[in-house]
Amino acid sequence: MATREIRTLGEDCLRKTCKEVKEINDRIITLVDDMFDTMYEANGVGLAAPQIGILKRIVVIDTDGTPYVLINPKILEVSGEQVGYEGCLSVPGKSGIVARPNYVKVEAMDLDGETFILEGEELLARAICHECDHLDGVMYVDKVDGDIIDNEVLAEMMAEEE
Ligand code: NI
């Protein structure tokens, strides 16, 4: 298990356009392993390579116990809308309201170099959009509607609503 340092908002690497992965080699496989380790240790549901300072088009996602690796992902189709709180490991301890499609269809390459299609709804769709944005230097804070608030404040608001 190897975790890497998660870069935070304000660091240049989070604002770059990442490069396509040309071939799957041992370095890519190790990188993906480390991305999962880093994401799980931080209790995240998604992580993009630039968040650990690697400017390659790779994201890992696990919103429901199923791990996905998307290499050179391309969003083919979106539909619907969901509006809800979203966070990012590069903006620790905070959340903001972001509108995202409720359905996303994405094409990507897996670790065997095979192209596959992934369809996601709700949280998975949100995660796919959020992580793919990272590959073009886009952060959720760019799209937020309203204030970015501390997660502790959000938890209190949620508790009051119950
Ligand atoms: Ni993020």
Side-chain angles (χ1 to χ4, degrees):
M1 162 146 182
T3 60
R4 306 217 194 167
E5 185 194 346
I6 297 177
R7 308 306 181 89
T8 54
L9 187 61
E11 295 194 57
D12 283 350
C13 59
L14 292 170
R15 294 306 197 173
K16 305 283 189 192
T17 299
C18 296
K19 291 204 165 66
E20 295 236 328
V21 175
K22 294 274 195 289
E23 61 157 350
I24 308 298
N25 54 31
D26 288 349
R27 288 181 61 192
I28 298 291
I29 290 168
T30 300
L31 170 63
V32 168
D33 273 351
D34 290 357
M35 287 174 66
F36 275 115
D37 290 343
T38 304
M39 178 185 78
Y40 288 130
E41 189 186 66
N43 293 315
V45 297
L47 186 78
Q51 292 183 272
I52 55 168
I54 306 291
L55 299 180
K56 294 185 188 300
R57 302 189 78 82
I58 304 175
V59 310
V60 298
I61 293 173
D62 184 346
T63 55
D64 62 358
T66 308
Y68 297 107
V69 182
L70 306 179
I71 299 168
N72 304 333
K74 286 185 187 67
I75 291 176
L76 301 179
E77 206 178 309
V78 300
S79 68
E81 189 187 53
Q82 55 176 319
V83 178
Y85 280 98
E86 185 167 315
C88 177
L89 293 177
S90 294
V91 191
K94 296 187 186 298
S95 299
I97 293 176
V98 183
R100 298 284 190 185
N102 198 51
Y103 164 87
V104 175
K105 182 179 187 178
V106 64
E107 180 185 270
M109 187 165 72
D110 65 18
L111 281 176
D112 296 319
E114 304 288 335
T115 300
F116 69 101
I117 300 276
L118 174 65
E119 292 175 287
E121 293 184 324
E122 299 177 5
L123 181 57
L124 180 55
R126 179 178 291 281
I128 292 168
C129 293
H130 177 117
E131 300 312 330
C132 288
D133 272 355
H134 272 302
L135 304 180
D136 293 314
V138 175
M139 304 276 291
Y140 88 86
V141 298
D142 307 336
K143 298 183 166 182
V144 78
D145 181 13
D147 294 330
I148 293 169
I149 62 173
D150 285 335
N151 284 344
E152 286 165 22
V153 174
L154 177 60
E156 281 169 24
M157 285 165 48
M158 296 293 189
E160 278 168 20
E161 276 176 22
E162 280 172 14

